[in-house]
Structures are given as structure tokens and as C-alpha cells.
Amino acid sequence: MTPTGDPHPDSLQAEASRLAQQAREFRLRMSVIDTQTQSALDTTRDRFGRTAHPGAAADALAHRNAAAVEAYTTHLAPHADALLGAAHRALDELPPTGPLNAWREVLDSLATSHTEIIRVLDRPAVPDSAAQGVQYALVWPHLAAWADYGSIAADLAEQHHEPEPGLTYEERQSWTARAHAALRQGGALDLIESWHVADGRRITLAYLVEDDDSTVVALCGDPDASDWEIIGHYVHEYAAGQALPRAVPPGVLRPDAASRFNRPEPVPEQPLQELLREIVEARTAGDVSEVLLSATQEGVGAGAMVRLGHLLYAAEEFSDALGTVRSQQIGARIHALARQLDSLIREVHDAAEDLGATVAVLPPHRVPKPPRIRPRPALETAPPAAPPPRTPTTARRP
């Protein structure tokens, strides 16, 4: 305790780190459960992703729900209130910048989910009964919310970390000039990782390479711009992590997007390898035309090429959202590729229609080669008789 009776900052930091670790352990366990569940659900679907065995799918989801409840009971049920309290206290001490209200909303939502989960844990139904299955299904969205957003509470709770004093103004100037000089002379800044801190700064760890020697340094600002500066140098990455301010929770691309752990059932689609196989097995131009048209189909059942376009536009959106000079340049490149793909999709669609209009079939000289199968002897055929044994002969003398 400090002279005022408050807990020592080091003890607060240690406790916050312990609570944050519980949230991360729960997320890790949920990731394993999610992977196992998806593998089980894959066996219940047909080749297009449609559920073909609903009973087995329901069993897989029920097993997922029970495993998630067990994981929450182990890792978070005893610690969630304390973790949320530490996160709120840290949030109250942060500077009035950044999405403070949005983070508070996330913490309040996690508190509501915790209450709903504890209500079920305090009034359990008969084990392995239908009532227990209903209970677990009702709390699954709350368990998924903790798996998705518990890391935000963990990151906020660890804001109690006190960073070490940084370089003086003169030292920052000297190291920054040294880094720029090294870059002009053929050196390099090999970036390691970056994060945002509570006051809005972006910090990037990098190896500053000078004359075949490297030093771990911390940059403040956009490494791809010209106004960054070095704010620290360290013997290794771990020392840098201990000395620098902790990261605030990273953002998401689309705040209203579905969660990783509570995704909707996938839209049925035909895999690209199946489309290729259908072309190889086709006999008429109409067959191949239908395959290409399905690949370029728009709408709910979008084809493979159209989905690739969606992928590129989402990647462009993400790259732009990073907000750095280089990421926005890359976003522009991806946008140009997406536009080229749009043109290609239209060309493929037109070509598919033209191919179908030919009403042609493959000529008969393209005969398939049957597999080489050696005939097996009939079951009633006796095996060939063994040759008589050779008797040794004695050489005669002349």
C-alpha cells in the first residue's frame, strides 16, 4: 500500500495483467472450440455448403455451447467483474481523446453479457437435459461477445502500466537525424510491429540497420511519411515493450459486422475447383457456358469471380482505413485491380453467352483413354503347374 492507503501502482499493474490474461485465455480456448465446431459442421454439409444432416449439425452446436460455458466458468466467471472494474478505472484516467464513449459502451455490453451468463450458471438445469441445451443456446451470444470483445477490456485494464521516461528532446533530435542519415546511406528501418497509444500517437518498433549493425528503436508517427521521430532505443524487443506505453485496443474495419464467433450460416457456393472439374468433364459448349455464367453471377448467390471482386474491395477498404501513406497507396493499387477485375468479369460473362450460342459439342476423335486394368484370372482357373525339379547330372569323362 502507498502512504495514502491506495494500492501500489506495481500491484495494480500486476493484478490488471493477471485479469487481462484470463480474458485472453478464454479467447484462445474459444478459438479452439470454434475451429473444432467448424470442422464438425463441415461434415454435415454438402459440397455447396448447405446443411445436409441437420441433426448432426445441431449436436455440433450443442457441444460447442457446452464447451464454451465450461471455458467461461474456468477462465472468466470468477474474474469478469474485477476485469471490467480495472478497465473502467483505466478508462477514466485516459486523456479525453480517442473513442472513450465507444469503449465504455463495449464494457457495459460485456457487463450485461456477464450478468446473463452468471444467471444461468447460478440456476443450472439438469445436466445433459433438453432444458440445459436451451439454457446454453440462450447464453451462447453472450459467450461469443466475450470472446470477440473481451480483449478490449483486457487492453484497457493494462493501461495502468507506467512507461519508463523517454528520451530528452535533444536525444530524440540526435537519434532521428542519425536514422535519416543511415537511410540516405543505404541503411534500413526493418519494421517489427506498431500500435496506437492512449494519447493518439502511433508507435512502431523497428530495427535501425547501420553498417551491418542493428538497434531496436521506437518511432513515433507514420514510418512512410517524413515527419516521424525516434523516441527510444533498446537492447531488445522485450525491453522496448516494457518501456513504452501500452497499446489501446485496435479498431475494426466495420463496427457493425458479424462477430468471428457468432457468424451466420455460410451462403451456399460452388467451389472453384468444382467449376474447373465441370469444365474438364463437359461435352458441350452449353455446359461450359453455364459454368462461366455461374462464376460471374451477381447477387445473393454470387459466383467465384464476383466474390473475388468483393474480396478486393474489402481489402481496399481495410488498407485505406489504416491511414498511413503507404497503406493508402496500396489501397489505390488494390482499387485499380478491382476495377480491372470488374471489366474482366463482364468480358467473361459475354464470352460465356457467346460460347453457349455456338451449340457446339466436342468432336468424336477426342476419345477418352480408358484406364489400364489388367484382366484377373477366373476364380475356377487352376494355377499353372510347377515345372518338375531338375536332377543334377554327373559330368562324363571322355
Side-chain angles (χ1 to χ4, degrees):
M1 303 287 286
T2 62
T4 61
D6 295 329
H8 193 277
D10 289 343
S11 63
L12 285 175
Q13 177 185 338
E15 177 65 8
S17 296
R18 185 185 70 82
L19 295 170
Q21 185 60 29
Q22 293 298 322
R24 296 186 178 111
E25 289 288 343
F26 174 69
R27 180 181 174 86
L28 179 61
R29 178 59 188 146
M30 285 288 282
S31 297
V32 174
I33 293 171
D34 179 66
T35 300
Q36 294 172 341
T37 302
Q38 293 306 319
S39 297
L41 289 175
D42 285 343
T43 65
T44 69
R45 298 179 178 130
D46 63 16
R47 61 183 182 175
F48 302 120
R50 296 177 298 230
T51 300
H53 306 285
D59 290 342
L61 295 179
H63 184 271
R64 175 202 67 181
N65 297 345
V69 169
E70 180 183 357
Y72 194 88
T73 303
T74 302
H75 296 292
L76 275 177
H79 311 290
D81 285 328
L83 174 63
L84 293 173
H88 272 294
R89 288 191 297 273
L91 196 56
D92 291 339
E93 298 172 2
L94 293 182
T97 58
L100 300 185
N101 291 334
W103 286 332
R104 287 193 178 92
E105 185 177 349
V106 170
L107 295 181
D108 292 343
S109 176
L110 290 175
T112 300
S113 290
H114 175 65
T115 300
E116 294 299 321
I117 298 169
I118 294 301
R119 182 178 289 119
V120 167
L121 296 180
D122 288 344
R123 300 176 183 176
V126 177
D128 301 324
S129 66
Q132 185 187 63
V134 172
Q135 277 188 334
Y136 288 178
L138 289 175
V139 299
W140 165 253
H142 301 291
L143 296 165
W146 266 96
D148 278 314
Y149 311 123
S151 59
I152 294 180
D155 289 344
L156 291 174
E158 289 192 318
Q159 295 301 310
H160 288 292
H161 168 75
E162 290 291 335
E164 297 177 5
L167 301 178
T168 64
Y169 175 78
E170 291 77 13
E171 289 172 329
R172 292 200 306 271
Q173 293 274 43
S174 174
W175 271 90
T176 302
R178 174 178 166 181
H180 280 287
L183 294 178
R184 287 193 301 269
Q185 295 167 9
L189 276 176
D190 292 335
L191 306 184
I192 304 171
E193 63 174 321
S194 68
W195 64 91
H196 294 269
V197 297
D199 58 9
R201 292 179 298 163
R202 176 188 174 184
I203 295 178
T204 302
L205 281 189
Y207 289 112
L208 173 60
V209 181
E210 305 170 284
D211 300 327
D212 297 329
D213 188 23
S214 65
T215 306
V216 176
V217 296
L219 285 71
C220 181
D222 183 354
D224 302 314
S226 59
D227 55 351
W228 53 265
E229 66 173 349
I230 290 183
I231 59 174
H233 57 92
Y234 312 94
V235 293
H236 46 63
E237 297 172 40
Y238 179 79
Q242 295 301 304
L244 292 164
R246 287 285 193 264
V248 294
V252 294
L253 182 60
R254 298 171 182 170
D256 56 348
S259 75
R260 171 189 172 181
F261 295 96
N262 202 24
R263 293 169 176 161
E265 188 170 343
V267 177
E269 62 177 320
Q270 196 166 9
L272 190 61
Q273 62 182 6
E274 179 128 356
L275 297 176
L276 177 59
R277 186 163 59 242
E278 288 194 5
I279 291 179
V280 173
E281 296 172 354
R283 296 293 185 268
T284 70
D287 295 336
V288 177
S289 173
E290 288 298 325
V291 172
L292 294 179
L293 289 174
S294 67
T296 58
Q297 179 180 336
E298 300 277 356
V300 177
M305 294 187 70
V306 175
R307 290 179 186 272
L308 177 58
H310 297 166
L311 177 73
L312 290 178
Y313 282 116
E316 176 207 352
E317 181 184 358
F318 184 92
S319 191
D320 285 341
L322 292 174
T324 67
V325 172
R326 189 176 182 187
S327 67
Q328 291 179 344
Q329 292 172 345
I330 296 172
R333 288 170 55 193
I334 297 175
H335 178 77
L337 293 172
R339 295 300 298 271
Q340 292 177 30
L341 180 61
D342 288 341
S343 299
L344 178 61
I345 291 173
R346 290 192 295 269
E347 289 291 334
V348 172
H349 185 87
D350 292 343
E353 291 183 335
D354 292 342
L355 182 62
T358 66
V359 298
V361 297
L362 289 173
H365 70 266
R366 303 183 70 88
V367 180
K369 290 185 178 180
R372 295 183 177 181
I373 302 176
R374 294 182 178 179
R376 301 171 65 182
L379 295 179
E380 64 275 8
T381 302
R390 297 180 61 184
T391 57
T393 57
T394 306
R396 295 182 180 179
R397 296 179 180 271

